[in-house]
Amino acid sequence: MTVDPYGDERLVELYDEDNRPGADHEYFLKLADGATKVIDFGCGTGLLTRAFVQPGRVVLGVDPSATMLNYARRQPGAEDVTWIDGDAGAVLPAGDADLVVSSGNTMMHITTDDFPWVLEALAAALRPGGVLSFESRNPAARAWEQWGPEATYSERDTPAGHLKEWMEVTEVGNGLVVFDAHNVFEDGVDTVYTTTLYFRTVDELRAGLEKAGFGDVEVYGGWHEQQLTDDSRLFVVRATKP
């Protein structure tokens, strides 16, 4: 995982605005029905994490970005969440969580070498019968082809001032896509965040989950459990610890 993909407080404050709750949040919250302990792995600003909070439920938010977590801790309801600064190695193998979720591109940030042990760490946090669910982009949809400067350039006014932003893909190959996100505020400084995403096929996801000890692996083509097709833009993955 990237150590701190959002090191600029100005960008963190825009994150929730750019990633409003939608069908993804509805899906994860429905999975949490009846759960007494939920772990949000890669929680970011904690928008989804805080939505899990209800009486009698333990909620943990885990993220390697100190900037993100500092913002999350200042939000309404943050006191009802246990925030953990770190990667999967910081998730205790307590074996008592009912649900682990990972939203956005979190699982795609994980390198090929790290993917097996991360899945094992998440499995160790779950009770028998507990569920892991996350999303991953379908490599066949080739989303990165739409991430060029011309397609992604925009300008907007923000609380921190006028912002120009765009994306530029710098490397593609063997399931790996690297891109630079450019962010230019009125001071003229181009703050560039380089992101590496690992696009995995359904077979690769299934194999990794099964090797980590998961069973009953289901992969859907969308948040409403649509049937998976070659044209599915998104994989919605759900796996159960036996």
Side-chain angles (χ1 to χ4, degrees), residues 9-232:
E9 286 277 2
R10 297 173 297 180
L11 297 176
V12 169
E13 291 175 359
L14 297 176
Y15 187 85
D16 288 352
E17 178 183 329
D18 295 340
N19 296 273
R20 302 305 302 170
D24 54 343
H25 284 211
E26 293 175 9
Y27 174 83
F28 289 128
L29 291 171
K30 185 177 179 180
L31 276 186
D33 284 349
T36 58
K37 183 175 181 180
V38 175
I39 300 173
D40 186 356
F41 177 65
C43 65
T45 60
L47 189 62
L48 172 62
T49 324
R50 287 179 284 115
F52 283 121
V53 172
Q54 62 177 235
R57 174 183 288 167
V58 174
V59 179
L60 284 69
V62 184
D63 202 277
S65 170
T67 312
M68 285 276 202
L69 286 185
N70 287 338
Y71 178 87
R73 291 185 176 105
R74 298 196 301 267
Q75 304 314 302
E79 65 277 4
D80 296 317
V81 176
T82 298
W83 305 100
I84 300 173
D85 190 344
D87 58 15
V91 179
L92 294 178
D96 61 354
D98 301 287
L99 176 66
V100 175
V101 304
S102 192
S103 62
N105 293 326
T106 297
M107 298 300 281
M108 298 183 68
H109 288 300
I110 299 170
T111 69
T112 301
D113 289 340
D114 288 342
F115 198 58
W117 76 260
V118 168
L119 292 179
E120 290 172 1
L122 300 182
L126 287 163
R127 64 166 176 79
V131 171
L132 167 66
S133 186
F134 60 90
E135 61 190 278
S136 190
R137 296 172 184 260
N138 182 0
R142 303 180 67 84
W144 60 85
E145 293 181 349
Q146 307 301 316
W147 296 350
E150 291 186 7
T152 59
Y153 183 87
S154 66
E155 297 188 34
R156 56 175 164 160
D157 291 318
T158 77
H162 193 71
L163 173 65
K164 300 176 183 179
E165 51 195 341
W166 68 94
M167 294 165 59
E168 185 173 3
V169 176
T170 59
E171 182 181 350
V172 178
N174 297 319
L176 179 149
V177 176
V178 182
F179 67 90
D180 290 335
H182 295 260
N183 306 271
V184 183
F185 284 98
E186 292 173 309
D187 58 12
V189 177
D190 185 2
T191 302
V192 182
Y193 289 103
T194 300
T195 299
T196 301
L197 297 181
Y198 295 82
F199 285 72
R200 297 179 173 94
T201 65
V202 170
D203 288 343
E204 289 171 330
L205 292 170
R206 285 187 186 278
L209 287 161
E210 290 171 357
K211 187 174 181 180
F214 286 95
D216 193 20
V217 178
E218 299 173 286
V219 183
Y220 300 103
W223 296 112
H224 301 290
E225 299 187 356
Q226 297 97 318
Q227 182 176 355
L228 188 65
T229 70
D230 291 341
D231 297 327
S232 297

